[in-house]
Amino acid sequence: MERSDGLVQRRRQPKQEVEETDRNEEEKEEEERDSKDTRLTLMEEVLLLGLKDKEGYTSFWNDCISSGLRGCILIELSLRGRVELEKAGMRRKGLLNRKVIIKNSDPCGDVLLDEALKHIKETNMPETVQTWIEYLSGETWNPLKLRYQLKNVRERLAKNLVEKGVLTTEKQNFLLFDMTTHPVTDNLQKNKLVKKVQDS
């Protein structure tokens, strides 16, 4: 009887391979967690960051969020492959001065994005990013372009967030009138978003 009959020879995995498999498992777990989380659009994330947690409204004194949300709409359309910017060319135009061009006119499935896409498609001549932000926010001096204004964007986005369980709807009395507010119910979602911004 030979001595090697009873022995089983085991191979040792190199330490690096073990670490890689551990990392792959961690990445898969993180992806599963992300897929279970509520997915927010860029506009919803910006609105959520701008809302006061308990009060449920944005600051009365800061109206920059309106232009920011319209810019987010253009970015979201670009991320979904519906629009693109003209090529920079030899003169190296800045982002705001480049024209928005339709790439794919199929609906996105989001009411705000589809409405903005419809407006962009209706124009005969491509307009610049800055011009579209002004048109969509209604801050244009051209009365013929006022029809491109997207109305009640904050309220519509807040309703989307209420449907996703991130916000809730309440009525608050402000001296002479009632105002609908949307306090944050899912602080975890907002905290994750704040951490994401801080980490970047």
Side-chain angles (χ1 to χ4, degrees):
M1 189 165 161
E2 288 181 29
R3 233 176 162 173
S4 63
D5 287 345
L7 294 176
V8 177
Q9 193 174 21
R10 296 184 183 176
R11 281 208 216 137
R12 290 186 161 199
Q13 285 185 331
K15 198 174 187 179
Q16 185 179 10
E17 286 181 22
V18 173
E19 288 175 1
E20 285 179 13
T21 55
D22 288 345
R23 263 190 248 130
N24 289 338
E25 289 174 14
E26 288 173 7
E27 287 174 5
K28 286 178 185 175
E29 287 174 14
E30 191 172 318
E31 285 176 12
E32 286 176 16
R33 263 186 266 125
D34 285 347
S35 65
K36 291 176 186 172
D37 286 345
T38 305
R39 297 256 184 213
L40 301 179
T41 63
L42 186 59
M43 300 96 64
E44 291 168 342
E45 287 181 347
V46 168
L47 180 68
L48 187 57
L49 287 172
L51 280 177
K52 296 180 178 184
D53 291 358
K54 291 182 179 93
E55 292 86 355
Y57 53 84
T58 56
S59 173
F60 290 121
W61 311 115
N62 184 0
D63 199 42
C64 294
I65 197 163
S66 292
S67 298
L69 290 173
R70 274 42 173 218
C72 289
I73 288 172
L74 293 175
I75 292 169
E76 191 77 33
L77 283 171
S78 178
L79 290 173
R80 293 184 185 206
R82 299 304 191 270
V83 298
E84 64 184 355
L85 295 181
E86 70 177 343
K87 303 292 182 237
M90 296 293 288
R91 294 184 53 199
R92 296 280 180 221
K93 291 181 183 176
L95 284 177
L96 287 176
N97 296 323
R98 289 166 62 188
K99 296 187 186 230
V100 177
I101 301 167
I102 291 281
K103 189 175 175 183
N104 178 359
S105 61
D106 294 341
C108 304
D110 183 289
V111 179
L112 275 172
L113 295 177
D114 290 342
E115 189 178 337
L117 187 62
K118 185 185 94 176
H119 290 320
I120 294 170
K121 194 167 76 173
E122 285 174 359
T123 56
N124 297 331
M125 298 287 293
E127 299 284 355
T128 64
V129 173
Q130 186 168 0
T131 304
W132 271 116
I133 291 172
E134 289 170 1
Y135 287 173
L136 295 174
S137 60
E139 296 176 3
T140 177
W141 290 99
N142 187 344
L144 299 175
K145 303 293 184 179
L146 284 175
R147 63 190 169 107
Y148 296 136
Q149 179 182 8
L150 296 178
K151 296 187 167 93
N152 302 323
V153 171
R154 289 185 214 184
E155 190 62 32
R156 290 156 76 179
L157 289 172
K159 284 182 182 175
N160 288 348
L161 289 169
V162 168
E163 288 173 7
K164 293 178 180 180
V166 179
L167 303 178
T168 186
T169 303
E170 293 179 359
K171 291 270 188 198
Q172 284 191 0
N173 191 329
F174 287 93
L175 299 175
L176 301 173
F177 58 94
D178 286 338
M179 182 172 134
T180 304
T181 61
H182 300 283
V184 176
T185 56
D186 188 359
N187 283 324
L188 179 68
Q189 190 76 27
K190 183 159 184 179
N191 292 339
K192 256 202 279 187
L193 187 55
V194 169
K195 186 178 181 334
K196 183 174 147 184
V197 170
Q198 289 172 339
D199 290 346
S200 60

